[in-house]
C-alpha cells in the first residue's frame, strides 16, 4: 500500500524532536546539519560543567571533548559507559548510549576509542486512511578511534577517525530513501602547564582546541541531496587550583563554532520563482566540504553581527574533595536566532576504588525555554580505572 503524507509528517516530526535546534523560530536562522547526535555531549562530567570540556583536566571521556588530553592521564587505562535519556519533555523512548576507553602504550603514545548509539524510539507509519502500516526503529551510531602523542612535557596532539551511520526511517512512494553513511576525522591539541599561585601552592593551567567531524557529506536520497556533517570548532581554557592537600577547585570555559555554512536560501522574496528558490537551496548544499568550512566564517546574511551570534559559550566550575567527591555547575549560552538554547547545569561525582560515578542535570533558563525539550535532561556515567589491573 502506498505510503502517504502521514509518513512524511511522522518522519519530519522525529527530526524536529531530535534536533538540537528545537526552539528555533521562523524568523531565526539556525545552521542546519545532519547527524546532530555527533555534537550532543554524551557524558556526565563535562555536561555538568555547562558542556565545557576541551580544556578541563583529562578523564576517561576525553574522546568526545579532546582526545589529546589522554596523553596526560595518570592511569594507564580506563573505560566508561554513559546513558542519556534524550528529550524527555517530548518522548520517553529516545536514548543516547556512549562508551569510551583508552590505553597508554607508553609515556608518549596513547590509543583510544568510543562508540555512540542514538536510539530514536519507535516511528509508526500510516496510510492515507490513518490505518497503521507498521513500526520502524530509526537509529544512528558512530564508531571512532584516536591516536594521541605527547609532543612535550606541556603539549600533546591527537587525530581521530570516525565512521557514521544514520538510518532515520524515511519511506517514500518511490523507495528512494536509503540510510546514510559518512566518514569524518578530528584534529586536536592540548596544553597543560603547572603555574605557581603562591610560595606553597600550584595550579594547572590548560588550553585546548578540537576541530571535529571534518569529513564527507551524508545523503539519504541516493545522492540527490548531500547534507553537511556538524563539523565543529571548539576552543577552551581551564584553571584548576589545589587549595590544600584535600580541596581542589577549578573552572573551564569553551567557545564553540559550527563549521557549516549559514543558510541564505531561506531569504526568499515574494517575487522569486520556485525554480530560483530551489536553485539557491541546491547551491547551498553543493559547496565542497573544504569551501564550506572557510565560508562558514563570513557568509552570514547580516554580516559580522550574525557571525558572532553563531558562537556558543559554555563554562563551568568543579570542586573536588580528597579526589573522592566532586560537585559541579555550569551554564550554556546559545543566541536566540541560532537555536535559543540557554540552560544551567549541575552535577555530582563519586569515586570508590576503581569506580567513578558521575551524574548531571539540565535546568533550562528563560521564558522561551520553559518548555524546552532539553529540560530535565539527565546523564549518568560509570567510569572504571583499569590502571591497577594492567601493567
Amino acid at each position: 500500500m502506498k505510503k502517504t503524507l502521514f509518513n512524511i509528517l511522522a518522519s519530519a516530526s522525529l527530526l524536529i524532536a531530535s534536533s538540537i535546534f528545537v526552539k528555533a523560530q521562523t524568523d531565526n536562522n539556525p545552521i542546519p546539519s545532519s547527524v546532530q547526535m555527533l555534537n550532543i555531549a554524551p557524558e556526565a562530567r563535562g555536561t555538568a560543567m555547562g558542556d565545557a570540556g576541551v580544556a578541563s583536566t583529562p578523564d576517561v571521556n576525553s574522546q568526545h571533548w579532546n582526545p589529546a588530553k589522554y596523553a596526560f592521564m595518570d592511569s594507564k587505562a580506563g573505560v566508561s559507559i554513559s546513558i542519556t535519556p534524550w528529550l524527555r519533555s517530548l518522548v520517553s523512548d529516545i536514548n543516547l548510549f556512549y562508551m569510551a576507553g583508552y590505553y597508554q602504550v607508553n609515556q608518549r603514545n596513547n590509543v583510544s576509542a568510543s562508540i555512540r548509539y542514538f536510539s530514536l524510539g519507535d516511528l509508526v507509519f500510516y496510510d492515507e486512511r490513518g490505518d497503521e502500516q507498521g513500526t520502524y526503529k530509526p537509529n544512528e551510531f558512530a564508531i571512532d578511534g584516536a591516536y594521541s602523542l605527547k609532543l612535550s612535557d606541556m603539549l600533546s596532539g591527537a587525530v581521530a577517525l570516525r565512521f557514521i551511520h544514520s538510518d532515520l526511517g524515511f519511506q517514500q512512494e518511490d523507495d528512494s530513501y536509503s540510510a546514510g553513511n559518512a566518514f569524518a576525522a578530528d584534529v586536536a591539541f592540548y596544553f597543560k602547564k603547572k603555574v605557581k599561585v603562591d610560595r606553597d601552592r600550584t595550579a594547572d593551567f590548560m588550553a585546548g582546541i578540537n576541530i571535529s567531524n571534518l569529513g564527507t557529506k551524508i545523503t539519504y536520497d541516493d545522492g540527490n541531496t548531500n547534507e553537511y556533517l556538524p563539523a565543529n570548532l571548539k576552543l577552551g581554557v581551564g584553571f584548576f587550583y589545589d587549595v590544600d592537600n584535600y580541596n581542589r577547585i577549578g573552572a573551564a570555559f569553551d567557545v564553540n563554532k559550527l563549521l557549516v555554512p549559514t543558510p541564505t536560501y531561506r531569504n526568499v522574496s515574494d517575487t522569486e520563482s520556485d525554480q530560483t528558490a530551489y536553485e539557491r537551496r541546491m547551491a547551498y548544499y553543493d559547496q565542497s566540504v573544504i569551501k564550506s568550512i572557510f565560508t562558514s566564517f563570513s557568509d552570514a546574511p547580516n554580516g559580522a553581527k550574525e557571525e558572532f551570534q553563531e558562537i556558543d559559550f559554555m563554562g563551568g566550575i568543579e570542586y573536588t574533595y580528597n579526589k573522592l567527591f566532586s560537585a559541579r555547575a555550569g551554564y550554556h549560552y546559545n543566541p536566540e536566532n541560532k537555536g535559543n538554547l540557554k540552560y544551567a547545569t549541575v552535577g555530582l561525582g563519586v569515586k570508590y576504588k576503581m569506580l567513578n560515578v558521575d551524574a548531571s542535570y539540565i535546568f533550562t533558563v528563560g521564558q522561551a525555554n520553559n518548555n524546552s525539550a532539553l529540560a530535565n535532561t539527565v546523564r549518568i556515567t560509570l567510569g572504571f580505572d583499569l590502571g591497577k589491573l594492567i601493567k
Side-chain angles (χ1 to χ4, degrees):
M1 186 175 292
K2 287 186 176 181
K3 306 301 180 185
T4 65
L5 183 59
F6 289 100
N7 305 59
I8 300 174
L9 291 177
S11 298
S13 298
L14 173 63
L15 287 177
I16 293 170
S18 63
S19 172
I20 289 181
F21 302 112
V22 291
K23 298 298 292 182
Q25 304 295 324
T26 56
D27 58 343
N28 292 337
N29 197 25
I31 300 174
S33 63
S34 291
V35 203
Q36 287 284 350
M37 68 121 182
L38 293 174
N39 278 340
I40 297 175
E43 58 86 29
R45 184 199 174 203
T47 56
M49 298 176 68
D51 295 342
V54 73
S56 58
T57 51
D59 61 32
V60 66
N61 291 295
S62 296
Q63 185 83 349
H64 172 76
W65 304 104
N66 184 345
K69 296 199 297 183
Y70 285 125
F72 288 89
M73 288 291 292
D74 294 328
S75 179
K76 189 174 181 64
V79 65
S80 71
I81 302 172
S82 302
I83 181 171
T84 302
W86 189 244
L87 301 179
R88 276 301 181 259
S89 295
L90 294 179
V91 292
S92 61
D93 57 356
I94 296 182
N95 296 285
L96 174 64
F97 302 94
Y98 182 71
M99 184 174 183
Y102 75 95
Y103 175 73
Q104 290 186 341
V105 179
N106 52 43
Q107 292 182 350
R108 296 188 62 203
N109 299 277
N110 308 265
V111 292
S112 55
S114 73
I115 180 170
R116 68 179 67 202
Y117 178 78
F118 202 16
S119 172
L120 295 170
D122 294 335
L123 182 62
V124 181
F125 290 95
Y126 299 89
D127 63 16
E128 63 275 6
R129 295 177 300 181
D131 296 329
E132 185 173 329
Q133 297 298 299
T135 300
Y136 194 80
K137 296 182 180 294
N139 64 87
E140 297 177 318
F141 68 83
I143 303 173
D144 55 43
Y147 166 72
S148 57
L149 174 65
K150 199 169 187 179
L151 301 170
S152 71
D153 291 340
M154 295 183 291
L155 181 66
S156 62
V159 175
L161 300 178
R162 179 171 298 110
F163 171 73
I164 303 154
H165 176 80
S166 178
D167 185 354
L168 297 179
F170 286 118
Q171 294 189 23
Q172 301 181 21
E173 292 183 5
D174 58 359
D175 294 323
S176 61
Y177 167 78
S178 61
N181 297 301
F183 294 90
D186 302 350
V187 179
F189 292 92
Y190 182 67
F191 176 83
K192 181 180 180 182
K193 182 180 180 180
K194 286 283 186 183
V195 295
K196 205 158 190 176
V197 178
D198 55 38
R199 187 175 61 180
D200 301 319
R201 300 295 173 190
T202 61
D204 290 324
F205 170 77
M206 294 150 289
I209 177 174
N210 188 13
I211 306 173
S212 60
N213 302 319
L214 301 175
T216 62
K217 294 181 181 180
I218 193 168
T219 181
Y220 301 97
D221 58 1
D222 296 328
N224 292 319
T225 304
N226 297 293
E227 302 181 26
Y228 299 106
L229 295 178
N232 190 67
L233 169 65
K234 181 169 282 192
L235 302 168
V237 294
F239 188 83
F240 287 76
Y241 170 59
D242 292 313
V243 179
D244 53 38
N245 293 333
Y246 295 95
N247 299 281
R248 180 176 174 88
I249 58 173
F253 177 77
D254 289 4
V255 295
N256 189 84
K257 171 74 169 70
L258 279 173
L259 303 179
V260 179
T262 306
T264 56
Y265 59 84
R266 292 174 179 160
N267 301 321
V268 179
S269 66
D270 294 336
T271 59
E272 194 169 38
S273 67
D274 292 341
Q275 179 62 30
T276 302
Y278 174 79
E279 291 173 354
R280 290 179 63 189
R281 185 177 186 276
M282 288 299 100
Y284 171 83
Y285 284 104
D286 284 345
Q287 297 181 70
S288 69
V289 171
I290 298 299
K291 179 181 178 181
S292 67
I293 290 172
F294 287 100
T295 59
S296 68
F297 290 95
S298 60
D299 60 356
N302 293 322
K305 178 181 178 181
E306 186 174 350
E307 289 291 348
F308 184 77
Q309 291 169 342
E310 293 179 354
I311 299 175
D312 286 8
F313 299 88
M314 53 277 290
I317 57 175
E318 178 182 65
Y319 164 75
T320 301
Y321 175 75
N322 200 27
K323 298 182 180 180
L324 297 177
F325 171 80
S326 297
R328 308 174 182 110
Y331 186 77
H332 183 121
Y333 175 82
N334 170 252
E336 285 81 357
N337 65 330
K338 296 298 176 178
N340 194 30
L341 295 180
K342 301 178 179 66
Y343 52 85
T345 60
V346 294
L348 297 174
V350 177
K351 181 177 181 180
Y352 179 73
K353 295 184 178 181
M354 295 174 52
L355 175 64
N356 288 277
V357 181
D358 295 296
S360 66
Y361 185 82
I362 284 181
F363 298 91
T364 52
V365 177
Q367 185 66 32
N369 282 294
N370 284 342
N371 297 315
S372 170
L374 292 180
N376 307 316
T377 299
V378 176
R379 291 174 176 86
I380 303 293
T381 297
L382 301 179
F384 302 90
D385 183 352
L386 305 180
K388 295 181 180 179
L389 302 179
I390 301 176
K391 298 182 180 180

